[in-house]
Amino acid sequence: MRIGVIGTGRIGTVHARTLSRHREVGSLILTDADPARAQGLAHRLGETAAPGVDEIFEWGVDAVVITTATSAHAELIGRAARSGLPVFCEKPIALDLPGTLQALAEVETAGTILQMGFQRRFDAGYAGAREAVRSGRLGRLHTVRAMTCDQSPPPPDWLPLSGGLFRDTLIHDFDVLRWVTGREVADVYATGSDAGPAMFREAGDVDTGAALLTLDDGTLATATATRLNGAGYDVRMELAGEADTVVVGLDDRTPLASTEPTGPPPADKPWPGFLERFGPAYEAELNAFVQVALGERANPCDGQEALQALRVAEACEVSRRERRPVALAEIPDRVGAS
């Protein structure tokens, strides 16, 4: 099996390393907007670098992995679909609904595979939470608290391209909330603060955000995020039911310090970032994609799943901007809907 990897930045490098050592993958073709970066990675992995995207399709591959800047995702998904190739793409499909819906329409027309990179679905903790909910261990689920906290902010020039805190960061929480609970979000009320560094205000973004979400069975969920969690990278989900409560992301590396006299000690080595926290999950999702491309398993996270997470993020942005509750029914889910 020959796979083309488009984009060899931080996450592209991680995915290329995983694929390069996969027993079902014979070779990779790597390309990047910075040809020297792709060439360097190809040399380290013993793979082939291509001068551009065109060569990925002209030289012939069996599948494509897209880890470019988000602005290129939709176009590349469409091109791969028209070429009849299965695609793995980092989230999101696009930074807006029209671009997302158009790319999904191309995939549907072509009848090809699109697997999206929501790696938390492959994390052992979230899988355990899903099982706890689905098995009935928690009883009736009444409250979910989700959070994503980055230790330090991203580069200022990246912020205007990110889509904002809700689309870039909390979209992971929105996706895994649906996956763990098996429920849909009915409505949201969201707000944000730009009281931190000026670069967030200049980008029209917020450094900290919070959303109250009501699920379609009445379960209440909160989702919060910040770019400025100096203690370390902190991603958790608490699920409380009438019979029991469980938490995802609580271990000896969680950056928490208790103020209780008999509380646990602070983490000795707190998580520094998402690559370290979710390393096994990133590897598992690429292994799953190889199986999907070979026809050995069903797609674990298709484009429609990504669309639903984006719709929640879009509803949060509308709510933050207009300072009002927003029903998900207000957010289009197909081309031509209003």
Side-chain angles (χ1 to χ4, degrees), residues 77-255:
I77 288 170
R79 185 167 182 178
R82 294 190 297 274
S83 299
L85 295 172
V87 175
F88 175 92
C89 184
E90 278 299 323
K91 65 83 191 166
I93 294 173
L95 289 177
D96 58 18
L97 279 168
T100 298
L101 293 170
Q102 180 57 45
L104 290 177
E106 292 218 55
V107 171
E108 183 177 359
T109 297
T112 52
I113 293 166
L114 170 61
Q115 180 182 328
M116 295 302 300
F118 283 105
Q119 88 284 354
R120 294 187 194 183
R121 294 179 176 224
F122 296 86
D123 177 72
Y126 284 104
R130 175 182 164 100
E131 173 59 25
V133 173
R134 306 301 178 89
S135 69
R137 169 184 165 185
L138 306 185
R140 182 186 68 86
L141 185 66
H142 53 72
T143 308
V144 182
R145 291 176 286 269
M147 61 184 293
T148 296
C149 303
D150 292 328
Q151 183 175 25
S152 55
D157 58 357
W158 181 82
L159 281 175
L161 308 176
S162 71
L165 188 68
F166 291 98
R167 297 188 191 93
D168 176 62
T169 299
L170 277 167
I171 195 168
H172 279 289
D173 297 272
F174 302 149
D175 174 71
V176 84
L177 173 65
R178 297 179 58 251
W179 186 73
V180 167
T181 66
R183 311 304 308 191
E184 298 295 339
V185 175
D187 57 64
V188 309
Y189 188 87
T191 188
S193 170
D194 61 3
M199 64 181 185
F200 292 98
R201 293 186 292 279
E202 293 165 357
D205 197 6
V206 294
D207 58 73
T208 304
L212 172 64
L213 309 101
T214 304
L215 306 189
D216 57 10
D217 65 347
T219 300
L220 297 181
T222 59
T224 62
T226 185
R227 303 284 197 185
L228 303 164
N229 199 59
Y233 182 73
D234 192 1
V235 172
R236 279 176 282 135
M237 173 181 274
E238 300 172 9
L239 300 104
E242 293 181 348
D244 201 357
T245 298
V246 295
V247 58
V248 179
L250 182 61
D251 59 21
D252 60 1
R253 299 191 68 179
T254 305

